[in-house]
């Protein structure tokens, strides 16, 4: 099991979300080679604008590990975390972010993104989280292509 | 009922949270003069690092109004929303933020803040949310003084 493996779990979960009418974002949190949570965005399903994949994955991981401190965890996100999710990752003390597509890709679909990159957020706030971007970007972009073909897709 | 009234509801709720061992932050969401949600931070109570007062208030408001679009709502926050909460407010399309104390005040208590002000977030991201800071700042800072006197206070 390696980084590609975990990112593909997030991608697979995201495809599942798209099939259920959810937004095209998935995230997987891993600690010491073990999957702690793997979820898709549930903004529509749960009527919760904060239920982005990363926030949802962090909540689930906190519940599962019975702690608000996710030090040593890695998050695999199909898209670059938005500033809300980046900041949630910071609060959770997650050590590393791997992401596929970029915030600007999500923006081009029509999502109302705050266009501040993870690199910018990290440098502005002096955060120590490691960020690896454009990871399996091609496979991550396939999620957006698939979502664009859904008749009942909705933006927020 | 005016802005002071709603901010004081958030402050009162925050005092309640402090009494229950929670972190010293409260938020109240109002639409057309009606309180939609008024909560305190529940990071410890719910073992959820994302359960800041503002995020918690937004979730509750989405549930109550059965929508992820909180356009026309105002949020009263006892402290300046951190970048996670500011971004959640953006996603929720809340129109105006009133806040009391500043992120740097919370940082001085020992919270691991990402030190990007709302003003900076707004200008970087081109967000249209209106921000009114230092609103009833003195009363908001009393919350921090009270929290500092709690023997069992915990930081994250």
């Amino acid at each position: 099991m390696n980084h590609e493996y975990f990112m593909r779990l997030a991608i697979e979960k995201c495809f599942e979300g798209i099939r259920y009418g959810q937004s095209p974002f998935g995230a997987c949190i891993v600690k010491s080679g073990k999957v702690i949570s793997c979820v898709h965005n549930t903004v529509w399903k749960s009527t919760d604008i904060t239920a982005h994949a990363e926030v949802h994955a962090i909540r689930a991981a906190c519940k599962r590990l019975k702690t608000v401190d996710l030090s040593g965890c890695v998050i695999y996100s199909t898209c670059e975390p938005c500033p809300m999710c980046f900041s949630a990752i910071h609060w959770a003390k997650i050590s590393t972010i791997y992401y596929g597509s970029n915030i600007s890709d999500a923006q081009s679909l029509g999502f109302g993104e705050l266009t501040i990159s993870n690199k910018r957020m990290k440098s502005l706030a002096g955060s120590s989280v490691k960020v690896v971007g454009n990871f399996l970007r091609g496979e991550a972009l396939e999620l957006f292509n698939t979502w664009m073909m859904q008749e009942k897709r909705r933006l927020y």
Side-chain angles (χ1 to χ4, degrees), chain A residues 27-98:
Chain A
C28 181
I29 293 178
V30 174
K31 186 169 188 177
S32 307
K34 191 176 162 190
V35 175
I36 306 301
S37 61
C38 187
V39 304
H40 57 71
N41 176 303
T42 57
V43 162
W44 299 116
K45 184 183 167 195
S46 55
T47 315
D48 175 1
I49 193 63
T50 73
H52 287 200
E54 299 91 328
V55 165
H56 185 187
I58 288 169
R59 285 178 201 157
C62 286
K63 277 259 170 324
R64 170 126 184 238
L65 299 180
K66 298 183 172 57
T67 176
V68 301
D69 182 348
L70 302 181
S71 295
C73 288
V74 178
I75 189 164
Y76 299 85
S77 182
T78 59
C79 183
E80 184 178 10
C82 80
M84 175 179 76
C85 294
F86 177 88
S87 306
I89 289 164
H90 160 83
W91 283 114
K93 300 188 172 71
I94 286 175
S95 59
T96 311
I97 301 169
Y98 282 80

